[in-house]
Coordinates of all heavy atoms in Angstrom, one line a residue:
A1 N 2.7 10.9 1.6 CA 2.7 9.6 2.1 C 3.3 8.5 1.2 O 3.9 7.6 1.6 CB 1.3 9.2 2.6
F2 N 3.0 8.7 -0.1 CA 3.4 7.7 -1.1 C 4.4 8.4 -2.1 O 5.5 8.8 -1.8 CB 2.2 7.1 -1.7 CG 1.3 6.4 -0.7 CD1 0.1 6.9 -0.3 CD2 1.7 5.2 -0.1 CE1 -0.7 6.3 0.6 CE2 0.9 4.5 0.8 CZ -0.3 5.1 1.2
D3 N 3.9 8.5 -3.4 CA 4.7 9.1 -4.4 C 3.7 9.7 -5.4 O 2.5 9.6 -5.3 CB 5.6 8.1 -5.1 CG 4.9 6.8 -5.6 OD1 3.7 6.9 -5.8 OD2 5.5 5.8 -5.7
Y4 N 4.3 10.3 -6.5 CA 3.4 10.9 -7.5 C 2.5 10.0 -8.2 O 1.4 10.3 -8.7 CB 4.3 11.7 -8.5 CG 5.0 10.9 -9.5 CD1 4.3 10.7 -10.8 CD2 6.2 10.3 -9.3 CE1 4.9 9.9 -11.8 CE2 6.8 9.6 -10.3 CZ 6.2 9.4 -11.5 OH 6.8 8.6 -12.5
K5 N 3.0 8.7 -8.4 CA 2.1 7.7 -9.0 C 0.9 7.5 -8.2 O -0.2 7.3 -8.8 CB 2.9 6.4 -9.2 CG 4.0 6.5 -10.3 CD 4.7 5.2 -10.5 CE 5.8 5.3 -11.6 NZ 6.5 4.0 -11.8
A6 N 1.0 7.4 -6.9 CA -0.2 7.2 -6.1 C -1.1 8.4 -6.2 O -2.3 8.3 -6.2 CB 0.3 7.0 -4.6
G7 N -0.5 9.6 -6.2 CA -1.3 10.8 -6.4 C -2.0 10.8 -7.7 O -3.2 11.1 -7.7
D8 N -1.4 10.4 -8.8 CA -2.0 10.4 -10.1 C -3.1 9.3 -10.1 O -4.2 9.5 -10.7 CB -1.0 10.0 -11.2 CG -0.1 11.2 -11.6 OD1 -0.4 12.3 -11.0 OD2 0.8 11.0 -12.4
D9 N -2.9 8.2 -9.4 CA -4.0 7.2 -9.3 C -5.2 7.7 -8.6 O -6.4 7.5 -9.1 CB -3.4 6.0 -8.6 CG -4.5 4.9 -8.4 OD1 -5.1 4.5 -9.4 OD2 -4.7 4.4 -7.3
I10 N -5.0 8.5 -7.5 CA -6.2 9.1 -6.8 C -6.9 10.1 -7.7 O -8.1 10.1 -7.8 CB -5.7 9.8 -5.5 CG1 -5.4 8.7 -4.5 CG2 -6.8 10.7 -5.0 CD1 -6.6 7.9 -3.9
L11 N -6.1 11.0 -8.4 CA -6.7 12.0 -9.3 C -7.5 11.3 -10.4 O -8.6 11.8 -10.8 CB -5.7 12.9 -9.8 CG -5.0 13.8 -8.8 CD1 -3.9 14.6 -9.5 CD2 -6.0 14.7 -8.1
L12 N -7.0 10.2 -11.0 CA -7.7 9.5 -12.0 C -9.0 8.9 -11.6 O -10.0 9.0 -12.3 CB -6.8 8.4 -12.6 CG -7.3 7.7 -13.9 CD1 -7.5 8.7 -15.0 CD2 -6.3 6.6 -14.3
Q13 N -9.0 8.4 -10.3 CA -10.2 7.9 -9.8 C -11.2 9.0 -9.6 O -12.4 8.8 -9.8 CB -9.9 7.2 -8.4 CG -9.1 5.9 -8.5 CD -9.0 5.3 -7.1 OE1 -9.9 5.0 -6.4 NE2 -7.7 5.1 -6.7
I14 N -10.8 10.1 -9.1 CA -11.7 11.3 -8.9 C -12.3 11.7 -10.3 O -13.5 11.9 -10.4 CB -10.9 12.4 -8.3 CG1 -10.6 12.1 -6.8 CG2 -11.7 13.7 -8.4 CD1 -9.7 13.1 -6.2
V15 N -11.5 11.8 -11.3 CA -12.0 12.2 -12.6 C -13.0 11.2 -13.1 O -14.1 11.7 -13.6 CB -10.8 12.2 -13.6 CG1 -11.3 12.3 -15.1 CG2 -9.9 13.4 -13.3
N16 N -12.8 10.0 -13.0 CA -13.7 9.0 -13.5 C -15.0 8.9 -12.7 O -16.1 8.7 -13.2 CB -13.1 7.6 -13.7 CG -12.1 7.5 -14.8 OD1 -12.5 8.0 -15.9 ND2 -10.9 7.0 -14.6
R17 N -14.9 9.2 -11.4 CA -16.1 9.3 -10.6 C -16.9 10.5 -11.0 O -18.2 10.4 -11.0 CB -15.7 9.4 -9.1 CG -15.4 8.0 -8.5 CD -15.6 8.1 -7.0 NE -15.1 7.0 -6.2 CZ -15.3 6.8 -4.9 NH1 -15.9 7.8 -4.2 NH2 -14.8 5.8 -4.3
I18 N -16.3 11.6 -11.2 CA -17.0 12.8 -11.7 C -17.8 12.5 -12.9 O -18.9 13.0 -13.1 CB -16.0 14.0 -11.8 CG1 -15.5 14.5 -10.5 CG2 -16.7 15.2 -12.6 CD1 -14.4 15.5 -10.6
H19 N -17.2 11.8 -13.9 CA -17.9 11.4 -15.1 C -19.1 10.5 -14.8 O -20.2 10.6 -15.4 CB -17.0 10.8 -16.1 CG -16.2 11.8 -17.0 ND1 -16.9 12.6 -17.8 CD2 -14.9 12.0 -17.0 CE1 -16.0 13.3 -18.5 NE2 -14.8 13.0 -18.0
I20 N -19.0 9.7 -13.8 CA -20.1 8.8 -13.4 C -21.2 9.7 -12.8 O -22.4 9.4 -13.1 CB -19.6 7.7 -12.4 CG1 -18.7 6.7 -13.0 CG2 -20.8 7.0 -11.8 CD1 -18.0 5.8 -12.0
I21 N -20.9 10.7 -12.0 CA -21.9 11.5 -11.4 C -22.6 12.4 -12.4 O -23.8 12.5 -12.5 CB -21.2 12.4 -10.4 CG1 -20.6 11.6 -9.3 CG2 -22.3 13.4 -9.7 CD1 -19.7 12.5 -8.4
F22 N -21.8 13.0 -13.3 CA -22.4 14.1 -14.2 C -22.5 13.6 -15.7 O -23.0 14.4 -16.5 CB -21.6 15.3 -14.1 CG -21.6 15.9 -12.7 CD1 -20.4 16.1 -12.0 CD2 -22.8 16.4 -12.1 CE1 -20.4 16.7 -10.7 CE2 -22.8 16.9 -10.8 CZ -21.6 17.1 -10.1
G23 N -22.1 12.5 -16.0 CA -22.2 12.0 -17.4 C -20.9 11.9 -18.2 O -20.0 12.7 -18.0
E24 N -20.9 11.0 -19.1 CA -19.7 10.8 -19.9 C -19.4 12.0 -20.8 O -18.3 12.2 -21.2 CB -19.9 9.5 -20.8 CG -20.0 8.2 -20.0 CD -18.6 7.8 -19.5 OE1 -17.7 7.7 -20.3 OE2 -18.4 7.7 -18.3
D25 N -20.4 12.8 -21.2 CA -20.3 13.9 -22.1 C -19.9 15.2 -21.4 O -19.8 16.2 -22.0 CB -21.6 14.1 -22.9 CG -21.9 12.9 -23.8 OD1 -20.9 12.2 -24.2 OD2 -23.1 12.6 -24.1

């Protein structure tokens, strides 16, 4: 629908949410 930058932005949000759920470490 968009481009690879939009895809990377979504993946980065997912990564940082996972750290919020399970901890920074």
